[in-house]
C-alpha cells in the first residue's frame, strides 16, 4: 500500500507540470493518465514505477555506476556536508539571476545522479528568495534515479538520455550540470530565452590528495579542465565563471563514502585503495570552476 501511495503521490505531483514533457519517441505532448502513466498524443506510454520515478529511456544502457556508489555519494553530500559550500554557491547564483521571483522557477539537473545536489539547491533557493521552485532530475542511471525518488519527494525524477531529453523546447529557467557529462545542443533547446546554464567542472586541485595517493603517474595525479571550459564558452553566450576552493576534513566514514563514490578508484590498484581506507581522517581539497552561460540568440 505504501508503494502504491508513493507512485500515486509522484504522479499527482508530475500532473501539475505535465506541460514540460514531450514524448522521447515522437515529440508530442504528454499527459498523466489515471495517476499511473505518462502518455503522449500517439499513445506511447511510460508508467510510474512503484518508487515514484519514470523511465523515459528509448533504449537500454549499461553503466558502471552502481547502487552502492550512489548511496555513498548521497551520504557524503547529506551527512558529511562535503559539497555544502557548492550548493550554497549555486543557489546564490540562481537567486541573483532570477528576474521575476513571483513565478515558479524550473530547475533541471542534467545528470543528477541520486538527486542530493538538486534537492539541497532547491531547498536553499526556496528559503532564500523565490516562492517556489520545481526541481527536475534526469540521469541515464536507473540506480541513481531510484535512490533519488526514494529519498526526495516533490521533485520530478526520470531515467532519461541527455541526448534525447523528454521535454519541450524552452522549458527551464536553470539547467544544472554538476560534475557530469553534457549535451549542449539539448541544453540550448531546453533553456528559456532568459535562462541560465550552470556547469560545474573540476579544477586542478580537485581531490588532489586522493589522486596523489591512488596514482603513480603525474598525468593521473594532475588535472586540467581547459578543454571543457573552452567548449562551454563556444556553446553558450558566456556570462561569467568563478572558482570555488576549500578543504574538508573527512573522518573514517566519510573517507569510505568518498572511495565508494569516485570513479578514480576504477583505474588504480586494490592495494592503494586499501591504503587510503586505512586512514582515520584526511584533508581533502574541493576545487571547482562554476561556469554560467545563456542561450545563444
Amino acid at each position: 500500500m505504501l508503494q502504491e501511495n508513493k507512485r500515486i503521490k509522484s504522479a499527482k505531483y508530475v500532473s501539475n507540470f505535465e506541460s514540460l514533457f514531450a514524448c522521447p519517441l515522437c515529440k508530442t505532448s504528454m499527459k498523466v493518465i489515471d495517476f499511473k502513466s505518462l502518455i503522449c498524443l500517439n499513445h506511447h506510454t511510460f508508467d510510474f514505477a512503484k518508487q515514484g520515478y519514470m523511465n523515459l529511456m528509448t533504449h537500454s544502457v549499461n553503466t558502471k555506476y552502481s547502487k552502492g556508489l550512489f548511496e555513498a555519494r548521497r551520504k557524503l553530500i547529506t551527512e558529511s556536508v562535503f559539497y555544502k559550500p557548492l550548493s550554497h554557491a549555486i543557489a546564490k547564483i540562481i537567486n541573483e539571476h532570477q528576474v521575476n521571483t513571483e513565478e515558479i522557477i524550473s530547475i533541471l539537473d542534467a545528470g543528477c545522479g541520486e538527486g542530493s545536489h538538486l534537492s539541497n539547491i532547491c531547498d536553499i533557493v526556496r528559503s532564500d528568495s523565490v516562492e517556489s521552485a520545481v526541481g527536475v532530475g534526469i540521469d541515464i542511471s536507473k540506480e541513481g534515479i531510484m535512490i533519488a525518488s526514494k529519498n526526495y519527494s516533490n521533485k520530478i525524477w526520470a531515467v532519461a538520455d541527455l541526448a534525447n531529453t523528454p521535454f519541450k523546447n524552452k522549458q527551464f529557467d536553470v539547467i544544472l550540470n554538476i560534475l557530469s557529462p553534457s549535451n549542449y545542443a539539448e541544453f540550448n533547446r531546453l533553456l528559456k530565452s532568459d535562462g541560465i546554464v550552470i556547469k560545474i567542472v573540476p579544477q586542478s586541485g580537485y581531490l588532489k590528495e586522493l589522486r596523489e595517493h591512488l596514482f603513480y603517474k603525474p598525468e593521473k595525479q594532475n588535472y586540467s579542465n581547459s578543454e571543457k571550459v573552452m567548449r562551454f564558452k563556444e556553446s553558450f553566450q558566456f556570462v561569467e565563471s568563478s572558482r570555488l576552493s576549500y578543504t574538508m576534513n573527512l573522518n573514517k566514514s566519510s573517507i569510505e563514502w568518498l572511495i565508494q563514490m569516485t570513479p578514480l578508484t576504477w583505474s588504480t590498484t586494490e592495494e592503494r585503495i586499501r591504503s587510503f581506507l586505512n586512514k582515520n581522517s584526511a584533508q581533502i581539497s574541493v576545487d571547482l570552476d562554476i561556469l554560467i552561460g545563456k542561450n545563444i540568440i
Side-chain angles (χ1 to χ4, degrees), residues 13 17 20 90-91 94-95 98 104-110 112 117-126 130 132-138 155-157 167 171-178 191-192 196 198:
Y13 183 77
F17 305 102
L20 293 173
I90 292 172
I94 293 171
N95 285 336
Q98 289 311 305
I104 295 175
I105 65 166
S106 50
I107 303 173
L108 172 67
D109 188 351
C112 68
H117 284 309
L118 178 61
S119 180
N120 289 346
I121 290 162
C122 284
D123 287 346
I124 300 166
V125 166
R126 285 196 190 103
V130 299
S132 188
V134 55
V136 181
I138 62 171
K155 303 283 186 300
I156 297 171
W157 303 112
F167 306 110
Q171 294 298 310
F172 293 97
D173 297 292
V174 180
I175 296 176
L176 305 177
N177 190 229
I178 302 172
L191 199 64
K192 291 181 181 179
I196 56 169
I198 303 173

Side-chain angles (χ1 to χ4, degrees), residues 72-242:
R73 185 179 116 154
R74 192 180 76 82
K75 289 176 181 176
L76 190 68
I77 294 171
T78 60
E79 295 183 29
S80 80
V81 300
F82 188 63
Y83 290 106
K84 186 176 180 179
L86 176 63
S87 296
H88 280 273
I90 292 172
K92 185 171 184 284
I93 291 167
I94 293 171
N95 285 336
E96 287 173 349
H97 283 82
Q98 289 311 305
V99 178
N100 188 351
T101 58
E102 293 179 3
E103 294 183 359
I104 295 175
I105 65 166
S106 50
I107 303 173
L108 172 67
D109 188 351
C112 68
E114 42 60 63
S116 297
H117 284 309
L118 178 61
S119 180
N120 289 346
I121 290 162
C122 284
D123 287 346
I124 300 166
V125 166
R126 285 196 190 103
S127 63
D128 282 357
S129 176
V130 299
E131 186 67 26
S132 188
V134 55
V136 181
I138 62 171
D139 201 283
I140 203 169
S141 170
K142 182 178 174 182
E143 293 287 359
I145 293 296
M146 285 177 69
I147 294 169
S149 61
K150 174 184 174 184
N151 289 286
Y152 305 113
S153 56
N154 292 332
K155 303 283 186 300
I156 297 171
W157 303 112
V159 186
D161 188 350
L162 284 186
N164 181 32
T165 59
F167 306 110
K168 295 176 183 173
N169 296 347
K170 313 297 182 190
Q171 294 298 310
F172 293 97
D173 297 292
V174 180
I175 296 176
L176 305 177
N177 190 229
I178 302 172
L179 300 171
S180 178
S182 309
N183 189 296
Y184 292 152
E186 275 292 86
F187 291 0
N188 270 302
R189 181 182 73 81
L190 296 173
L191 199 64
K192 291 181 181 179
S193 57
D194 57 350
I196 56 169
V197 173
I198 303 173
K199 182 171 176 64
I200 311 300
V201 294
Q203 250 288 2
S204 57
Y206 184 63
L207 305 184
K208 65 179 181 180
E209 299 85 357
L210 179 59
R211 284 189 277 111
E212 288 168 359
H213 190 97
L214 294 181
F215 303 113
Y216 292 103
K217 297 180 179 179
E219 59 266 29
K220 284 279 194 177
Q221 294 178 350
N222 301 318
Y223 179 85
S224 171
N225 66 14
S226 56
E227 284 187 20
K228 290 183 179 180
V229 173
M230 189 184 307
R231 186 159 170 261
F232 184 89
K233 290 181 176 180
E234 291 170 352
S235 302
F236 299 99
Q237 178 186 338
F238 185 67
V239 176
E240 63 178 313
S241 67
S242 59

Side-chain angles (χ1 to χ4, degrees), residues 49-86:
K50 62 186 178 181
Q51 297 89 347
Y53 70 90
M54 298 164 287
N55 190 335
L56 292 158
M57 291 288 292
T58 58
H59 58 92
S60 60
V61 294
N62 293 318
T63 172
K64 291 179 73 173
Y65 290 82
S66 65
K67 179 180 179 182
L69 181 150
F70 286 118
E71 289 284 13
R73 185 179 116 154
R74 192 180 76 82
K75 289 176 181 176
L76 190 68
I77 294 171
T78 60
E79 295 183 29
S80 80
V81 300
F82 188 63
Y83 290 106
K84 186 176 180 179
L86 176 63

Side-chain angles (χ1 to χ4, degrees), residues 20-65:
L20 293 173
F21 289 90
C23 177
L25 291 169
C26 68
K27 310 306 177 188
T28 61
S29 297
M30 307 187 81
K31 289 187 75 67
V32 175
I33 304 298
D34 297 330
F35 299 128
K36 177 185 174 185
S37 306
L38 195 62
I39 301 178
C40 78
L41 294 176
N42 290 320
H43 305 294
H44 296 123
T45 300
F46 301 87
D47 294 335
F48 286 86
K50 62 186 178 181
Q51 297 89 347
Y53 70 90
M54 298 164 287
N55 190 335
L56 292 158
M57 291 288 292
T58 58
H59 58 92
S60 60
V61 294
N62 293 318
T63 172
K64 291 179 73 173
Y65 290 82

